[in-house]
Amino acid sequence: MNIFPTKELKFKLIDDQAETLNRLNRRTEKSENLTSQHTDKSFRGIINGNEFKLISTTLGKGAFCVMTGTIESDRGNVNVEIHLVFRILLGAFLCFPIVAILIAILTGKEEPNPIFILVVIGQILVIRYAFIGLAFKFLSRESLNKLRDVLDFEWIKN
């Protein structure tokens, strides 16, 4: 089980590699820091040859997912993961139920009870799958759709 979800997808180019890379370069604002900022481009990030590392420029939610990938002659792949900053924040958020129960036990407000362990595990699972999992699913789909529109490719079914 991964703590944070990822997606790895493959695609087939409709145009040739040069045209696709040209289109990506035109629609990407060059930035070493993958931070969200208002721009008229579709993406911010780094493009080195046929490799890229991008975030969407949608303010407020575009930086949540980082897309890394390569574009070969007629195919490519993209790997989507949660941005490092968000992984740190969400990791702290996942630790809240554990910290809360430890504080309650150490201050004497609650007596140690095996039910608390089940409650903490349940809360962590809800945070991971209901909040983080669903947010990643929807935000990564939005970013990947924008990438597909810019690069003009078709997904390859696994």
Side-chain angles (χ1 to χ4, degrees):
M1 178 182 101
N2 293 335
I3 295 175
F4 299 108
T6 61
K7 280 185 186 179
E8 188 166 339
L9 301 167
K10 297 186 183 315
F11 55 87
K12 181 180 142 198
L13 300 177
I14 294 175
D15 288 330
D16 63 341
Q17 180 186 22
E19 177 64 32
T20 303
L21 286 170
N22 183 28
R23 198 176 306 127
L24 182 62
N25 278 314
R26 280 194 325 258
R27 299 297 303 154
T28 301
E29 180 178 305
K30 307 301 184 266
S31 172
E32 293 291 323
N33 300 331
L34 297 176
T35 57
S36 186
Q37 191 174 29
H38 182 68
T39 181
D40 60 338
K41 309 270 183 160
S42 298
F43 300 107
R44 285 187 61 148
I46 306 162
I47 302 172
N48 287 330
N50 66 340
E51 297 179 350
F52 60 87
K53 186 172 186 177
L54 307 170
I55 62 167
S56 175
T57 57
T58 307
L59 287 178
K61 54 187 176 180
F64 188 77
C65 295
V66 176
M67 297 177 288
T68 56
T70 57
I71 300 172
E72 302 301 331
S73 59
D74 64 339
R75 298 182 177 266
N77 67 332
V78 63
N79 186 24
V80 184
E81 59 186 18
I82 297 175
H83 196 291
L84 177 63
V85 174
F86 287 102
R87 280 188 289 187
I88 292 169
L89 291 171
L90 293 171
F93 191 57
L94 279 170
C95 292
F96 283 163
I98 297 168
V99 171
I101 198 68
L102 289 176
I103 290 173
I105 290 172
L106 293 175
T107 59
K109 300 279 186 200
E110 298 288 338
E111 294 181 19
N113 191 340
I115 283 290
F116 288 143
I117 295 171
L118 294 175
V119 170
V120 167
I121 291 171
Q123 288 173 338
I124 290 171
L125 290 175
V126 166
I127 291 169
R128 164 55 179 90
Y129 290 102
F131 297 131
I132 298 172
L134 288 176
F136 178 77
K137 179 180 179 181
F138 292 120
L139 294 176
S140 66
R141 182 184 309 151
E142 186 176 311
S143 293
L144 288 168
N145 284 339
K146 188 183 275 193
L147 183 68
R148 189 191 67 215
D149 290 342
V150 168
L151 296 184
D152 199 24
F153 60 74
E154 295 176 350
W155 297 115
I156 296 174
K157 304 255 187 209
N158 289 340

